Amino acid sequence: MKKRTKILATVGPASDSLEQLEALIRAGVNVFRMNFSHGTHAYHADVLKRIRQAMENTGLIVGVLQDISGPKVRVGKLEEDFLLEKGDRLEFVKEEVVGRKLGEGRYRLCINQSGILAKLKTGEFIYLYDGTIRAQVESVGEKVVALVQNTGKLSSNKGVNFPNTRIGIDILTLKDRKDMLWGIENGVDFMAISFVQNAGDMANARRIVLENGGTQQLFAKIEKFDAVENIDAILKVSDGIMVARGDLGIEVPYYEVPAIQKRVIQKANEASKPVITATQMLLSMTEHETATRAEISDVANAVLDGTDVVMLSEESAVGHNPVLVVETMVNTIRETEKIYPYDKFNRFAMQDEMDMIDESAVLLASKLKANALLAFTTSGQSAKKLARYRPEKTILAIMHDERVARSLTIVWGVAPAFLVKRDKLERMLSDVVKSGLENGVLEREGCYILTAGDPVGVPGTTNNIRILRSPEMDYFNDL
């Protein structure tokens, strides 16, 4: 493996051609993000087809994450831009209107989720245009009047945040539900659910997937203040977490974001669930050839925090050189991983017997200086639990299902290396050894630590550790 930490790259106009997708995979992208805040289903279908073709052409496995847009709150249409000054007043009305200036220092407007207005209380804040304009609620009733706190220009359809208000709305819009059905039908691997407030939001998303025959893994985007407060419950019902620092930095004081990032990553690591760190990681490379030193440090610190994945947004979607951005991220990850604190023994509470088996396997691999760990996994869970301990050597996952292989593209240190038919353990191990030696994945004189379950094919039954050295390798190769 080039690196242990995975890269998630957003596909957009700069990167959606077959040629670019192939180049990005070869450069080090592990998962592609399809942003459903933009584009039609027809466009995304074409992109998905090209991603799968690029995967076939390169011979490398990548995953696909569908980012569900969620109920982004926005101001309505304005007659003209509002040139706001400190002390001006905004009147938010419940009916849909075209925003306009009422008089000196007074403006009327609406938002696309008018039900939120009834939940506002005096003294709470309303942030507009990605937090660049701040207003404090002065009075509530038939309309909400807010006092502008700073100078700024507001135009139509700009985003609105409520950093003190529990808005309590259904985070899955009709569009989101249609998008999720598209994702199920087209077999995306992951869905990222936006603006999650609590565990119930993720349970509702899971219900939609299961009721429609889907198997997608669901990632909760942590970008609201109440999601931070409810992180433990959200993590329990999610397959993974995304620290979405953009809206999060508006919902909470910006200086709290680094500490929240570290806490969320630690909790995800503890739970053996993948965690993505997102937003503005190499943003300056959207337009420039090089990243700032601060951006490089940001990527490095996310790696050292223990993130499974670092994400690119505008940089790969609309940037002038997406491949260079990925190469920069790969170089940063590889250099940082030279000082990474591997082999995290005795760091986590044991949730079950599998945790004990997996920590023992990683410890054995470290003591014996093994070439790699081999993990038979039916659902992918065994490989995820091994990854929790951050072994210095690669985890070579052995699966029966290509869907499971793609699901592991987002997990730290795991290479979905072998796809075998379900059989007796010795027969499958023979297939793995023969294939591994033939393709140069395994070395005849190497040492490998194997974890497996008995009975074979039952999720959650990892109960065996085996050491494979040259005599065993020869045995299974000749079997």
Side-chain angles (χ1 to χ4, degrees):
M1 292 180 72
K2 290 183 177 180
K3 53 187 173 47
R4 302 288 184 269
T5 308
K6 303 298 181 69
I7 293 176
L8 169 61
T10 303
V11 182
S15 54
D16 61 6
S17 69
L18 179 59
E19 181 182 27
Q20 279 288 82
L21 291 168
E22 288 181 15
L24 288 168
I25 293 172
R26 291 192 175 98
V29 169
N30 305 101
V31 184
F32 285 110
R33 170 179 174 251
M34 302 173 70
N35 185 0
F36 272 65
S37 293
H38 308 286
T40 64
H41 284 183
Y43 168 77
H44 290 300
D46 287 341
V47 170
L48 184 57
K49 182 178 179 180
R50 287 194 290 272
I51 290 173
R52 288 173 174 160
Q53 185 63 55
M55 184 166 63
E56 184 177 334
N57 292 351
T58 59
L60 297 170
I61 296 175
V62 295
V64 175
L65 180 144
Q66 180 188 22
D67 199 331
I68 304 300
S69 54
K72 180 70 174 178
V73 184
R74 300 182 183 277
V75 300
K77 185 176 180 180
L78 309 181
E79 279 187 353
E80 57 184 0
D81 291 349
F82 291 174
L83 302 177
L84 301 172
E85 300 286 344
K86 181 178 180 180
D88 287 350
R89 285 177 170 79
L90 299 173
E91 296 182 3
F92 293 88
V93 296
K94 296 175 182 177
E95 62 271 19
E96 185 175 346
V97 299
V98 176
R100 63 187 181 88
K101 187 173 183 177
L102 299 176
E104 192 62 35
R106 291 176 58 240
Y107 300 83
R108 177 170 293 166
L109 70 163
C110 66
I111 59 175
N112 64 340
Q113 299 273 353
S114 60
I116 295 174
L117 297 177
K119 301 177 184 293
L120 291 169
K121 297 180 177 61
T122 303
E124 293 182 339
F125 279 90
I126 302 172
Y127 287 175
L128 303 105
Y129 198 175
D130 298 329
T132 59
I133 300 170
R134 302 180 301 280
Q136 188 170 27
V137 177
E138 201 172 49
S139 65
V140 296
E142 287 301 309
K143 60 185 177 182
V144 172
V145 179
L147 188 66
V148 176
Q149 304 290 303
N150 65 301
T151 299
K153 183 170 76 170
L154 181 65
S155 51
S156 300
N157 301 315
K158 295 301 180 185
V160 184
N161 293 83
F162 302 90
N164 315 118
T165 309
R166 299 186 188 281
I167 59 178
I169 61 174
D170 186 348
I171 64 162
L172 295 172
T173 65
L174 179 60
K175 175 188 180 302
D176 295 332
R177 293 167 190 270
K178 291 179 179 178
D179 290 344
M180 292 178 72
L181 293 179
W182 183 95
I184 294 167
E185 181 181 345
N186 287 276
V188 301
D189 303 299
F190 317 98
M191 291 181 184
I193 308 301
S194 297
F195 303 111
V196 171
Q197 304 159 111
N198 51 51
D201 291 335
M202 291 304 292
N204 290 339
R206 180 84 62 191
R207 191 175 302 112
I208 292 171
V209 171
L210 294 178
E211 287 177 353
N212 290 280
T215 58
Q216 284 69 28
Q217 296 196 3
L218 299 183
F219 278 62
K221 293 173 68 174
I222 306 303
E223 52 192 334
K224 291 188 60 59
F225 76 91
D226 34 3
V228 175
E229 295 176 1
N230 297 322
I231 184 61
D232 291 330
I234 291 170
L235 193 54
K236 284 181 181 178
V237 296
S238 303
D239 297 303
I241 292 289
M242 180 190 292
V243 187
R245 303 180 304 180
D247 276 287
L248 181 61
I250 303 170
E251 288 274 326
V252 304
Y254 61 88
Y255 48 80
E256 292 183 8
V257 172
I260 291 172
Q261 172 180 314
K262 292 177 184 295
R263 289 200 302 273
V264 171
I265 289 173
Q266 183 178 10
K267 286 177 179 292
N269 291 167
E270 170 79 28
S272 302
K273 295 188 177 181
V275 55
I276 303 164
T277 303
T279 317
Q280 298 181 344
M281 302 219 76
L282 295 176
L283 184 61
S284 65
M285 291 192 75
T286 306
E287 298 179 358
H288 302 289
E289 289 286 318
T290 58
T292 67
R293 304 302 178 266
E295 289 169 337
I296 296 296
S297 294
D298 182 38
V299 173
N301 280 315
V303 171
L304 293 173
D305 286 345
T307 194
D308 289 76
V309 186
V310 284
M311 189 177 104
L312 296 168
S313 299
E314 299 100 317
E315 305 97 323
S316 58
V318 297
H320 82 291
N321 194 337
V323 174
L324 179 60
V325 176
V326 172
E327 290 171 347
T328 300
M329 190 166 260
V330 168
N331 290 336
T332 303
I333 292 170
R334 293 183 69 180
E335 193 64 27
T336 304
E337 288 180 345
K338 291 178 181 178
I339 61 166
Y340 190 84
Y342 296 101
D343 299 334
K344 296 183 178 181
F345 306 123
N346 304 315
R347 293 280 295 274
F348 306 112
M350 296 293 176
Q351 308 295 333
D352 51 38
E353 291 179 1
M354 276 182 66
D355 285 337
M356 298 178 189
I357 291 284
D358 291 329
E359 187 186 52
S360 299
V362 174
L363 179 60
L364 196 57
S366 176
K367 293 291 187 183
L368 295 179
K369 295 181 169 41
N371 295 59
L373 291 112
L374 294 169
F376 277 97
T377 181
T378 300
S379 65
Q381 191 61 22
S382 299
K384 291 177 183 178
K385 282 181 170 283
L386 278 172
R388 171 165 97 145
Y389 300 101
R390 298 301 193 248
E392 189 168 2
K393 298 300 183 179
T394 301
I395 301 165
L396 300 174
I398 307 163
M399 301 82 36
H400 314 302
D401 186 342
E402 188 175 328
R403 175 184 57 82
V404 175
R406 293 195 304 271
S407 78
L408 294 173
T409 57
I410 210 164
V411 182
W412 186 99
V414 176
F418 301 98
L419 200 60
V420 298
K421 291 182 179 179
R422 193 168 299 177
D423 203 336
K424 292 182 179 180
L425 182 58
E426 290 222 339
R427 183 73 257 167
M428 292 191 297
L429 193 49
S430 175
D431 291 343
V432 167
V433 170
K434 288 176 181 177
S435 171
L437 292 176
E438 181 180 339
N439 296 317
V441 176
L442 303 179
E443 298 177 16
R444 187 179 300 277
E445 300 302 320
C447 173
Y448 300 89
I449 306 301
L450 170 76
T451 64
D454 187 16
V456 171
V458 180
T461 59
T462 299
N463 54 13
N464 283 278
I465 301 175
R466 190 167 188 165
I467 302 172
L468 293 178
R469 298 183 193 254
S470 54
E472 291 87 1
M473 299 285 277
D474 290 338
Y475 169 77
F476 286 112
N477 192 39
D478 295 336
L479 193 62

